[in-house]
PDB file of all heavy atoms in Angstrom:
ATOM      1  N   MET K 635      -7.267  39.037   4.414  1.00  0.00           N
ATOM      2  CA  MET K 635      -7.451  40.509   4.377  1.00  0.00           C
ATOM      3  C   MET K 635      -7.935  41.023   5.762  1.00  0.00           C
ATOM      4  O   MET K 635      -9.118  40.963   6.056  1.00  0.00           O
ATOM      5  CB  MET K 635      -8.446  40.885   3.253  1.00  0.00           C
ATOM      6  CG  MET K 635      -8.591  42.371   3.098  1.00  0.00           C
ATOM      7  SD  MET K 635      -9.775  42.682   1.768  1.00  0.00           S
ATOM      8  CE  MET K 635      -9.672  44.507   1.755  1.00  0.00           C
ATOM      9  N   VAL K 636      -6.997  41.528   6.505  1.00  0.00           N
ATOM     10  CA  VAL K 636      -7.297  42.028   7.831  1.00  0.00           C
ATOM     11  C   VAL K 636      -7.180  43.568   7.942  1.00  0.00           C
ATOM     12  O   VAL K 636      -7.574  44.183   8.955  1.00  0.00           O
ATOM     13  CB  VAL K 636      -6.413  41.429   8.936  1.00  0.00           C
ATOM     14  CG1 VAL K 636      -6.655  39.916   8.998  1.00  0.00           C
ATOM     15  CG2 VAL K 636      -4.934  41.673   8.652  1.00  0.00           C
ATOM     16  N   GLY K 637      -6.742  44.197   6.852  1.00  0.00           N
ATOM     17  CA  GLY K 637      -6.614  45.657   6.845  1.00  0.00           C
ATOM     18  C   GLY K 637      -7.287  46.168   5.555  1.00  0.00           C
ATOM     19  O   GLY K 637      -7.635  45.360   4.667  1.00  0.00           O
ATOM     20  N   SER K 638      -7.471  47.491   5.418  1.00  0.00           N
ATOM     21  CA  SER K 638      -8.046  48.033   4.247  1.00  0.00           C
ATOM     22  C   SER K 638      -7.076  47.927   3.048  1.00  0.00           C
ATOM     23  O   SER K 638      -5.907  47.880   3.184  1.00  0.00           O
ATOM     24  CB  SER K 638      -8.455  49.456   4.493  1.00  0.00           C
ATOM     25  OG  SER K 638      -7.296  50.266   4.703  1.00  0.00           O
ATOM     26  N   LEU K 639      -7.641  47.865   1.878  1.00  0.00           N
ATOM     27  CA  LEU K 639      -6.918  47.770   0.645  1.00  0.00           C
ATOM     28  C   LEU K 639      -7.405  48.803  -0.275  1.00  0.00           C
ATOM     29  O   LEU K 639      -8.523  48.741  -0.761  1.00  0.00           O
ATOM     30  CB  LEU K 639      -7.094  46.384   0.020  1.00  0.00           C
ATOM     31  CG  LEU K 639      -6.436  46.111  -1.325  1.00  0.00           C
ATOM     32  CD1 LEU K 639      -4.958  46.186  -1.288  1.00  0.00           C
ATOM     33  CD2 LEU K 639      -6.926  44.762  -1.894  1.00  0.00           C
ATOM     34  N   ARG K 640      -6.598  49.915  -0.439  1.00  0.00           N
ATOM     35  CA  ARG K 640      -7.016  50.981  -1.358  1.00  0.00           C
ATOM     36  C   ARG K 640      -8.393  51.514  -1.026  1.00  0.00           C
ATOM     37  O   ARG K 640      -9.237  51.748  -1.879  1.00  0.00           O
ATOM     38  CB  ARG K 640      -6.947  50.599  -2.782  1.00  0.00           C
ATOM     39  CG  ARG K 640      -5.493  50.228  -3.183  1.00  0.00           C
ATOM     40  CD  ARG K 640      -5.404  49.929  -4.641  1.00  0.00           C
ATOM     41  NE  ARG K 640      -4.009  49.602  -4.961  1.00  0.00           N
ATOM     42  CZ  ARG K 640      -3.558  49.360  -6.143  1.00  0.00           C
ATOM     43  NH1 ARG K 640      -4.386  49.418  -7.150  1.00  0.00           N
ATOM     44  NH2 ARG K 640      -2.325  49.054  -6.323  1.00  0.00           N
ATOM     45  N   GLY K 641      -8.649  51.690   0.257  1.00  0.00           N
ATOM     46  CA  GLY K 641      -9.942  52.253   0.727  1.00  0.00           C
ATOM     47  C   GLY K 641     -11.066  51.265   0.901  1.00  0.00           C
ATOM     48  O   GLY K 641     -12.180  51.628   1.269  1.00  0.00           O
ATOM     49  N   ILE K 642     -10.794  49.966   0.548  1.00  0.00           N
ATOM     50  CA  ILE K 642     -11.846  48.941   0.710  1.00  0.00           C
ATOM     51  C   ILE K 642     -11.712  48.294   2.068  1.00  0.00           C
ATOM     52  O   ILE K 642     -10.594  47.908   2.509  1.00  0.00           O
ATOM     53  CB  ILE K 642     -11.679  47.846  -0.403  1.00  0.00           C
ATOM     54  CG1 ILE K 642     -11.813  48.523  -1.765  1.00  0.00           C
ATOM     55  CG2 ILE K 642     -12.665  46.737  -0.213  1.00  0.00           C
ATOM     56  CD1 ILE K 642     -11.380  47.646  -2.945  1.00  0.00           C
ATOM     57  N   ALA K 643     -12.810  48.209   2.802  1.00  0.00           N
ATOM     58  CA  ALA K 643     -12.780  47.671   4.172  1.00  0.00           C
ATOM     59  C   ALA K 643     -12.336  46.220   4.182  1.00  0.00           C
ATOM     60  O   ALA K 643     -12.558  45.483   3.250  1.00  0.00           O
ATOM     61  CB  ALA K 643     -14.146  47.796   4.813  1.00  0.00           C
ATOM     62  N   PRO K 644     -11.637  45.781   5.250  1.00  0.00           N
ATOM     63  CA  PRO K 644     -11.280  44.385   5.333  1.00  0.00           C
ATOM     64  C   PRO K 644     -12.430  43.432   5.296  1.00  0.00           C
ATOM     65  O   PRO K 644     -13.496  43.687   5.861  1.00  0.00           O
ATOM     66  CB  PRO K 644     -10.529  44.271   6.700  1.00  0.00           C
ATOM     67  CG  PRO K 644     -10.631  45.655   7.339  1.00  0.00           C
ATOM     68  CD  PRO K 644     -11.292  46.533   6.411  1.00  0.00           C
ATOM     69  N   THR K 645     -12.252  42.284   4.640  1.00  0.00           N
ATOM     70  CA  THR K 645     -13.244  41.275   4.526  1.00  0.00           C
ATOM     71  C   THR K 645     -13.015  40.138   5.458  1.00  0.00           C
ATOM     72  O   THR K 645     -13.962  39.321   5.717  1.00  0.00           O
ATOM     73  CB  THR K 645     -13.340  40.718   3.098  1.00  0.00           C
ATOM     74  OG1 THR K 645     -12.092  39.969   2.817  1.00  0.00           O
ATOM     75  CG2 THR K 645     -13.585  41.758   2.088  1.00  0.00           C
ATOM     76  N   GLY K 646     -11.814  39.956   5.918  1.00  0.00           N
ATOM     77  CA  GLY K 646     -11.462  38.786   6.805  1.00  0.00           C
ATOM     78  C   GLY K 646     -11.346  37.487   6.018  1.00  0.00           C
ATOM     79  O   GLY K 646     -11.144  36.448   6.616  1.00  0.00           O
ATOM     80  N   ARG K 647     -11.536  37.554   4.719  1.00  0.00           N
ATOM     81  CA  ARG K 647     -11.435  36.340   3.913  1.00  0.00           C
ATOM     82  C   ARG K 647      -9.965  36.052   3.542  1.00  0.00           C
ATOM     83  O   ARG K 647      -9.146  36.915   3.440  1.00  0.00           O
ATOM     84  CB  ARG K 647     -12.305  36.475   2.640  1.00  0.00           C
ATOM     85  CG  ARG K 647     -13.759  36.603   2.982  1.00  0.00           C
ATOM     86  CD  ARG K 647     -14.627  36.853   1.852  1.00  0.00           C
ATOM     87  NE  ARG K 647     -14.752  35.691   0.982  1.00  0.00           N
ATOM     88  CZ  ARG K 647     -15.536  35.604  -0.048  1.00  0.00           C
ATOM     89  NH1 ARG K 647     -16.318  36.670  -0.406  1.00  0.00           N
ATOM     90  NH2 ARG K 647     -15.571  34.547  -0.791  1.00  0.00           N
ATOM     91  N   GLN K 648      -9.741  34.765   3.246  1.00  0.00           N
ATOM     92  CA  GLN K 648      -8.407  34.320   2.787  1.00  0.00           C
ATOM     93  C   GLN K 648      -8.320  34.234   1.307  1.00  0.00           C
ATOM     94  O   GLN K 648      -9.309  34.058   0.640  1.00  0.00           O
ATOM     95  CB  GLN K 648      -8.151  32.943   3.408  1.00  0.00           C
ATOM     96  CG  GLN K 648      -8.015  32.987   4.962  1.00  0.00           C
ATOM     97  CD  GLN K 648      -7.705  31.645   5.510  1.00  0.00           C
ATOM     98  OE1 GLN K 648      -7.944  30.587   4.918  1.00  0.00           O
ATOM     99  NE2 GLN K 648      -7.215  31.627   6.723  1.00  0.00           N
ATOM    100  N   TYR K 649      -7.042  34.312   0.794  1.00  0.00           N
ATOM    101  CA  TYR K 649      -6.813  34.109  -0.656  1.00  0.00           C
ATOM    102  C   TYR K 649      -5.473  33.410  -0.809  1.00  0.00           C
ATOM    103  O   TYR K 649      -4.643  33.359   0.007  1.00  0.00           O
ATOM    104  CB  TYR K 649      -6.710  35.495  -1.337  1.00  0.00           C
ATOM    105  CG  TYR K 649      -5.535  36.280  -0.967  1.00  0.00           C
ATOM    106  CD1 TYR K 649      -4.366  36.265  -1.610  1.00  0.00           C
ATOM    107  CD2 TYR K 649      -5.560  37.160   0.167  1.00  0.00           C
ATOM    108  CE1 TYR K 649      -3.278  36.982  -1.280  1.00  0.00           C
ATOM    109  CE2 TYR K 649      -4.457  37.846   0.550  1.00  0.00           C
ATOM    110  CZ  TYR K 649      -3.305  37.800  -0.199  1.00  0.00           C
ATOM    111  OH  TYR K 649      -2.182  38.564   0.147  1.00  0.00           O
ATOM    112  N   THR K 650      -5.432  32.723  -1.982  1.00  0.00           N
ATOM    113  CA  THR K 650      -4.246  32.082  -2.403  1.00  0.00           C
ATOM    114  C   THR K 650      -4.058  32.311  -3.951  1.00  0.00           C
ATOM    115  O   THR K 650      -5.019  31.963  -4.690  1.00  0.00           O
ATOM    116  CB  THR K 650      -4.267  30.582  -2.186  1.00  0.00           C
ATOM    117  OG1 THR K 650      -4.408  30.347  -0.767  1.00  0.00           O
ATOM    118  CG2 THR K 650      -2.973  29.861  -2.625  1.00  0.00           C
ATOM    119  N   ILE K 651      -3.001  32.877  -4.382  1.00  0.00           N
ATOM    120  CA  ILE K 651      -2.836  33.245  -5.766  1.00  0.00           C
ATOM    121  C   ILE K 651      -1.439  32.918  -6.248  1.00  0.00           C
ATOM    122  O   ILE K 651      -0.503  32.924  -5.471  1.00  0.00           O
ATOM    123  CB  ILE K 651      -3.108  34.737  -6.030  1.00  0.00           C
ATOM    124  CG1 ILE K 651      -2.141  35.606  -5.183  1.00  0.00           C
ATOM    125  CG2 ILE K 651      -4.575  35.086  -5.764  1.00  0.00           C
ATOM    126  CD1 ILE K 651      -2.233  37.116  -5.487  1.00  0.00           C
ATOM    127  N   PRO K 652      -1.279  32.701  -7.588  1.00  0.00           N
ATOM    128  CA  PRO K 652       0.102  32.501  -8.140  1.00  0.00           C
ATOM    129  C   PRO K 652       0.745  33.849  -8.332  1.00  0.00           C
ATOM    130  O   PRO K 652       0.056  34.904  -8.575  1.00  0.00           O
ATOM    131  CB  PRO K 652      -0.194  31.851  -9.504  1.00  0.00           C
ATOM    132  CG  PRO K 652      -1.611  32.252  -9.844  1.00  0.00           C
ATOM    133  CD  PRO K 652      -2.339  32.464  -8.578  1.00  0.00           C
ATOM    134  N   ALA K 653       2.062  33.841  -8.264  1.00  0.00           N
ATOM    135  CA  ALA K 653       2.860  35.071  -8.504  1.00  0.00           C
ATOM    136  C   ALA K 653       4.198  34.700  -9.171  1.00  0.00           C
ATOM    137  O   ALA K 653       4.615  33.589  -9.028  1.00  0.00           O
ATOM    138  CB  ALA K 653       3.037  35.817  -7.207  1.00  0.00           C
ATOM    139  N   VAL K 654       4.791  35.709  -9.760  1.00  0.00           N
ATOM    140  CA  VAL K 654       6.096  35.511 -10.375  1.00  0.00           C
ATOM    141  C   VAL K 654       6.977  36.734  -9.998  1.00  0.00           C
ATOM    142  O   VAL K 654       6.508  37.850 -10.026  1.00  0.00           O
ATOM    143  CB  VAL K 654       6.015  35.445 -11.941  1.00  0.00           C
ATOM    144  CG1 VAL K 654       7.341  35.407 -12.572  1.00  0.00           C
ATOM    145  CG2 VAL K 654       5.126  34.221 -12.302  1.00  0.00           C
ATOM    146  N   GLN K 655       8.227  36.476  -9.658  1.00  0.00           N
ATOM    147  CA  GLN K 655       9.258  37.571  -9.461  1.00  0.00           C
ATOM    148  C   GLN K 655      10.363  37.302 -10.403  1.00  0.00           C
ATOM    149  O   GLN K 655      10.803  36.198 -10.554  1.00  0.00           O
ATOM    150  CB  GLN K 655       9.745  37.502  -7.992  1.00  0.00           C
ATOM    151  CG  GLN K 655       8.757  37.867  -6.908  1.00  0.00           C
ATOM    152  CD  GLN K 655       8.374  39.348  -6.918  1.00  0.00           C
ATOM    153  OE1 GLN K 655       9.245  40.167  -7.277  1.00  0.00           O
ATOM    154  NE2 GLN K 655       7.110  39.660  -6.597  1.00  0.00           N
ATOM    155  N   ILE K 656      10.756  38.351 -11.035  1.00  0.00           N
ATOM    156  CA  ILE K 656      11.908  38.313 -12.033  1.00  0.00           C
ATOM    157  C   ILE K 656      13.008  39.198 -11.510  1.00  0.00           C
ATOM    158  O   ILE K 656      12.765  40.416 -11.213  1.00  0.00           O
ATOM    159  CB  ILE K 656      11.436  38.723 -13.430  1.00  0.00           C
ATOM    160  CG1 ILE K 656      10.311  37.760 -13.872  1.00  0.00           C
ATOM    161  CG2 ILE K 656      12.658  38.719 -14.358  1.00  0.00           C
ATOM    162  CD1 ILE K 656       9.644  38.267 -15.165  1.00  0.00           C
ATOM    163  N   PHE K 657      14.189  38.691 -11.441  1.00  0.00           N
ATOM    164  CA  PHE K 657      15.353  39.446 -10.900  1.00  0.00           C
ATOM    165  C   PHE K 657      16.401  39.593 -12.005  1.00  0.00           C
ATOM    166  O   PHE K 657      16.631  38.650 -12.722  1.00  0.00           O
ATOM    167  CB  PHE K 657      15.980  38.729  -9.728  1.00  0.00           C
ATOM    168  CG  PHE K 657      15.016  38.394  -8.625  1.00  0.00           C
ATOM    169  CD1 PHE K 657      14.473  37.141  -8.511  1.00  0.00           C
ATOM    170  CD2 PHE K 657      14.657  39.370  -7.650  1.00  0.00           C
ATOM    171  CE1 PHE K 657      13.528  36.808  -7.493  1.00  0.00           C
ATOM    172  CE2 PHE K 657      13.796  39.078  -6.614  1.00  0.00           C
ATOM    173  CZ  PHE K 657      13.229  37.821  -6.550  1.00  0.00           C
ATOM    174  N   ARG K 658      16.993  40.762 -12.073  1.00  0.00           N
ATOM    175  CA  ARG K 658      18.109  40.927 -12.944  1.00  0.00           C
ATOM    176  C   ARG K 658      19.345  41.235 -12.120  1.00  0.00           C
ATOM    177  O   ARG K 658      19.327  42.193 -11.336  1.00  0.00           O
ATOM    178  CB  ARG K 658      17.888  42.097 -13.934  1.00  0.00           C
ATOM    179  CG  ARG K 658      19.005  42.231 -15.006  1.00  0.00           C
ATOM    180  CD  ARG K 658      18.678  43.168 -16.118  1.00  0.00           C
ATOM    181  NE  ARG K 658      18.775  44.568 -15.699  1.00  0.00           N
ATOM    182  CZ  ARG K 658      19.922  45.302 -15.739  1.00  0.00           C
ATOM    183  NH1 ARG K 658      21.059  44.712 -16.070  1.00  0.00           N
ATOM    184  NH2 ARG K 658      19.862  46.540 -15.396  1.00  0.00           N
ATOM    185  N   LEU K 659      20.329  40.436 -12.303  1.00  0.00           N
ATOM    186  CA  LEU K 659      21.615  40.584 -11.596  1.00  0.00           C
ATOM    187  C   LEU K 659      22.716  41.113 -12.476  1.00  0.00           C
ATOM    188  O   LEU K 659      22.853  40.704 -13.656  1.00  0.00           O
ATOM    189  CB  LEU K 659      22.036  39.238 -10.985  1.00  0.00           C
ATOM    190  CG  LEU K 659      21.046  38.541 -10.139  1.00  0.00           C
ATOM    191  CD1 LEU K 659      21.518  37.163  -9.747  1.00  0.00           C
ATOM    192  CD2 LEU K 659      20.722  39.345  -8.858  1.00  0.00           C
ATOM    193  N   THR K 660      23.610  41.945 -11.979  1.00  0.00           N
ATOM    194  CA  THR K 660      24.777  42.447 -12.655  1.00  0.00           C
ATOM    195  C   THR K 660      25.961  42.342 -11.687  1.00  0.00           C
ATOM    196  O   THR K 660      25.875  42.822 -10.583  1.00  0.00           O
ATOM    197  CB  THR K 660      24.625  43.898 -13.095  1.00  0.00           C
ATOM    198  OG1 THR K 660      23.512  43.980 -13.971  1.00  0.00           O
ATOM    199  CG2 THR K 660      25.898  44.369 -13.824  1.00  0.00           C
ATOM    200  N   ASN K 661      26.953  41.551 -12.110  1.00  0.00           N
ATOM    201  CA  ASN K 661      28.117  41.292 -11.226  1.00  0.00           C
ATOM    202  C   ASN K 661      27.705  40.739  -9.852  1.00  0.00           C
ATOM    203  O   ASN K 661      28.304  41.187  -8.840  1.00  0.00           O
ATOM    204  CB  ASN K 661      28.949  42.560 -11.109  1.00  0.00           C
ATOM    205  CG  ASN K 661      29.533  43.083 -12.429  1.00  0.00           C
ATOM    206  OD1 ASN K 661      29.890  42.219 -13.293  1.00  0.00           O
ATOM    207  ND2 ASN K 661      29.573  44.343 -12.626  1.00  0.00           N
ATOM    208  N   GLY K 662      26.741  39.868  -9.880  1.00  0.00           N
ATOM    209  CA  GLY K 662      26.329  39.225  -8.623  1.00  0.00           C
ATOM    210  C   GLY K 662      25.463  40.088  -7.740  1.00  0.00           C
ATOM    211  O   GLY K 662      25.170  39.757  -6.635  1.00  0.00           O
ATOM    212  N   LYS K 663      25.078  41.298  -8.233  1.00  0.00           N
ATOM    213  CA  LYS K 663      24.207  42.203  -7.423  1.00  0.00           C
ATOM    214  C   LYS K 663      22.859  42.375  -8.078  1.00  0.00           C
ATOM    215  O   LYS K 663      22.699  42.480  -9.310  1.00  0.00           O
ATOM    216  CB  LYS K 663      24.897  43.541  -7.235  1.00  0.00           C
ATOM    217  CG  LYS K 663      26.137  43.472  -6.426  1.00  0.00           C
ATOM    218  CD  LYS K 663      26.742  44.862  -6.206  1.00  0.00           C
ATOM    219  CE  LYS K 663      28.025  44.797  -5.399  1.00  0.00           C
ATOM    220  NZ  LYS K 663      28.588  46.062  -5.151  1.00  0.00           N
ATOM    221  N   LEU K 664      21.821  42.459  -7.239  1.00  0.00           N
ATOM    222  CA  LEU K 664      20.487  42.680  -7.714  1.00  0.00           C
ATOM    223  C   LEU K 664      20.324  44.149  -8.135  1.00  0.00           C
ATOM    224  O   LEU K 664      20.578  45.072  -7.390  1.00  0.00           O
ATOM    225  CB  LEU K 664      19.424  42.449  -6.604  1.00  0.00           C
ATOM    226  CG  LEU K 664      18.012  42.691  -6.928  1.00  0.00           C
ATOM    227  CD1 LEU K 664      17.489  41.734  -8.032  1.00  0.00           C
ATOM    228  CD2 LEU K 664      17.184  42.539  -5.651  1.00  0.00           C
ATOM    229  N   VAL K 665      20.035  44.340  -9.481  1.00  0.00           N
ATOM    230  CA  VAL K 665      19.934  45.701 -10.008  1.00  0.00           C
ATOM    231  C   VAL K 665      18.491  46.044 -10.462  1.00  0.00           C
ATOM    232  O   VAL K 665      18.145  47.197 -10.523  1.00  0.00           O
ATOM    233  CB  VAL K 665      20.906  45.920 -11.156  1.00  0.00           C
ATOM    234  CG1 VAL K 665      22.358  45.878 -10.691  1.00  0.00           C
ATOM    235  CG2 VAL K 665      20.706  44.983 -12.304  1.00  0.00           C
ATOM    236  N   GLU K 666      17.678  45.034 -10.695  1.00  0.00           N
ATOM    237  CA  GLU K 666      16.282  45.279 -11.016  1.00  0.00           C
ATOM    238  C   GLU K 666      15.450  44.090 -10.605  1.00  0.00           C
ATOM    239  O   GLU K 666      15.896  42.956 -10.473  1.00  0.00           O
ATOM    240  CB  GLU K 666      16.091  45.435 -12.586  1.00  0.00           C
ATOM    241  CG  GLU K 666      16.591  46.717 -13.147  1.00  0.00           C
ATOM    242  CD  GLU K 666      16.294  46.862 -14.595  1.00  0.00           C
ATOM    243  OE1 GLU K 666      15.121  47.178 -14.894  1.00  0.00           O
ATOM    244  OE2 GLU K 666      17.152  46.631 -15.424  1.00  0.00           O
ATOM    245  N   MET K 667      14.130  44.399 -10.303  1.00  0.00           N
ATOM    246  CA  MET K 667      13.183  43.369  -9.889  1.00  0.00           C
ATOM    247  C   MET K 667      11.843  43.742 -10.412  1.00  0.00           C
ATOM    248  O   MET K 667      11.412  44.876 -10.259  1.00  0.00           O
ATOM    249  CB  MET K 667      13.171  43.232  -8.375  1.00  0.00           C
ATOM    250  CG  MET K 667      12.303  42.075  -7.841  1.00  0.00           C
ATOM    251  SD  MET K 667      12.437  41.886  -6.096  1.00  0.00           S
ATOM    252  CE  MET K 667      11.441  43.233  -5.521  1.00  0.00           C
ATOM    253  N   TRP K 668      11.146  42.765 -10.974  1.00  0.00           N
ATOM    254  CA  TRP K 668       9.752  42.928 -11.401  1.00  0.00           C
ATOM    255  C   TRP K 668       8.918  41.882 -10.786  1.00  0.00           C
ATOM    256  O   TRP K 668       9.398  40.765 -10.484  1.00  0.00           O
ATOM    257  CB  TRP K 668       9.650  42.732 -12.898  1.00  0.00           C
ATOM    258  CG  TRP K 668      10.466  43.652 -13.702  1.00  0.00           C
ATOM    259  CD1 TRP K 668      10.165  44.917 -14.128  1.00  0.00           C
ATOM    260  CD2 TRP K 668      11.748  43.420 -14.239  1.00  0.00           C
ATOM    261  NE1 TRP K 668      11.216  45.400 -14.857  1.00  0.00           N
ATOM    262  CE2 TRP K 668      12.216  44.484 -14.972  1.00  0.00           C
ATOM    263  CE3 TRP K 668      12.605  42.260 -14.210  1.00  0.00           C
ATOM    264  CZ2 TRP K 668      13.434  44.533 -15.621  1.00  0.00           C
ATOM    265  CZ3 TRP K 668      13.862  42.302 -14.831  1.00  0.00           C
ATOM    266  CH2 TRP K 668      14.265  43.446 -15.557  1.00  0.00           C
ATOM    267  N   GLY K 669       7.664  42.175 -10.522  1.00  0.00           N
ATOM    268  CA  GLY K 669       6.763  41.205  -9.882  1.00  0.00           C
ATOM    269  C   GLY K 669       5.398  41.265 -10.520  1.00  0.00           C
ATOM    270  O   GLY K 669       4.911  42.310 -10.965  1.00  0.00           O
ATOM    271  N   PHE K 670       4.777  40.069 -10.669  1.00  0.00           N
ATOM    272  CA  PHE K 670       3.456  39.968 -11.240  1.00  0.00           C
ATOM    273  C   PHE K 670       2.641  39.016 -10.391  1.00  0.00           C
ATOM    274  O   PHE K 670       3.179  38.017  -9.866  1.00  0.00           O
ATOM    275  CB  PHE K 670       3.548  39.343 -12.643  1.00  0.00           C
ATOM    276  CG  PHE K 670       4.469  40.122 -13.519  1.00  0.00           C
ATOM    277  CD1 PHE K 670       5.827  39.766 -13.665  1.00  0.00           C
ATOM    278  CD2 PHE K 670       3.997  41.175 -14.268  1.00  0.00           C
ATOM    279  CE1 PHE K 670       6.632  40.408 -14.441  1.00  0.00           C
ATOM    280  CE2 PHE K 670       4.845  41.843 -15.104  1.00  0.00           C
ATOM    281  CZ  PHE K 670       6.186  41.531 -15.190  1.00  0.00           C
ATOM    282  N   ARG K 671       1.350  39.385 -10.105  1.00  0.00           N
ATOM    283  CA  ARG K 671       0.535  38.508  -9.356  1.00  0.00           C
ATOM    284  C   ARG K 671      -0.879  38.543  -9.961  1.00  0.00           C
ATOM    285  O   ARG K 671      -1.236  39.531 -10.583  1.00  0.00           O
ATOM    286  CB  ARG K 671       0.526  38.887  -7.840  1.00  0.00           C
ATOM    287  CG  ARG K 671      -0.107  40.235  -7.622  1.00  0.00           C
ATOM    288  CD  ARG K 671      -0.281  40.555  -6.109  1.00  0.00           C
ATOM    289  NE  ARG K 671       0.973  40.355  -5.372  1.00  0.00           N
ATOM    290  CZ  ARG K 671       1.671  41.370  -4.825  1.00  0.00           C
ATOM    291  NH1 ARG K 671       1.318  42.620  -4.904  1.00  0.00           N
ATOM    292  NH2 ARG K 671       2.824  41.052  -4.202  1.00  0.00           N
ATOM    293  N   ASP K 672      -1.631  37.507  -9.696  1.00  0.00           N
ATOM    294  CA  ASP K 672      -3.008  37.416 -10.185  1.00  0.00           C
ATOM    295  C   ASP K 672      -3.969  38.204  -9.258  1.00  0.00           C
ATOM    296  O   ASP K 672      -4.714  37.613  -8.487  1.00  0.00           O
ATOM    297  CB  ASP K 672      -3.464  35.947 -10.298  1.00  0.00           C
ATOM    298  CG  ASP K 672      -4.786  35.758 -11.001  1.00  0.00           C
ATOM    299  OD1 ASP K 672      -5.490  36.772 -11.292  1.00  0.00           O
ATOM    300  OD2 ASP K 672      -5.132  34.634 -11.221  1.00  0.00           O
ATOM    301  N   THR K 673      -3.916  39.526  -9.357  1.00  0.00           N
ATOM    302  CA  THR K 673      -4.713  40.376  -8.514  1.00  0.00           C
ATOM    303  C   THR K 673      -6.254  40.166  -8.680  1.00  0.00           C
ATOM    304  O   THR K 673      -7.012  40.251  -7.754  1.00  0.00           O
ATOM    305  CB  THR K 673      -4.327  41.878  -8.772  1.00  0.00           C
ATOM    306  OG1 THR K 673      -2.959  42.015  -8.651  1.00  0.00           O
ATOM    307  CG2 THR K 673      -5.029  42.792  -7.757  1.00  0.00           C
ATOM    308  N   GLY K 674      -6.640  39.928  -9.930  1.00  0.00           N
ATOM    309  CA  GLY K 674      -8.058  39.667 -10.224  1.00  0.00           C
ATOM    310  C   GLY K 674      -8.608  38.529  -9.446  1.00  0.00           C
ATOM    311  O   GLY K 674      -9.693  38.570  -8.803  1.00  0.00           O
ATOM    312  N   SER K 675      -7.789  37.409  -9.392  1.00  0.00           N
ATOM    313  CA  SER K 675      -8.191  36.222  -8.652  1.00  0.00           C
ATOM    314  C   SER K 675      -8.264  36.572  -7.129  1.00  0.00           C
ATOM    315  O   SER K 675      -9.147  36.108  -6.399  1.00  0.00           O
ATOM    316  CB  SER K 675      -7.264  35.112  -8.925  1.00  0.00           C
ATOM    317  OG  SER K 675      -7.595  33.968  -8.219  1.00  0.00           O
ATOM    318  N   MET K 676      -7.232  37.339  -6.675  1.00  0.00           N
ATOM    319  CA  MET K 676      -7.219  37.695  -5.239  1.00  0.00           C
ATOM    320  C   MET K 676      -8.493  38.482  -4.855  1.00  0.00           C
ATOM    321  O   MET K 676      -9.152  38.177  -3.904  1.00  0.00           O
ATOM    322  CB  MET K 676      -6.037  38.532  -4.986  1.00  0.00           C
ATOM    323  CG  MET K 676      -5.915  38.929  -3.520  1.00  0.00           C
ATOM    324  SD  MET K 676      -4.489  40.019  -3.122  1.00  0.00           S
ATOM    325  CE  MET K 676      -5.034  41.613  -3.775  1.00  0.00           C
TER     326      MET K 676
END
């Protein structure tokens, strides 16, 4: 965290979190994408 996050000053601390990305393809093209991450742990 080297920049502000929603008005919270940078802490300089590191984080590692799990995340998931879900993609929906139609005719070989990306038409939708969803993402989830463990923001609480971060």
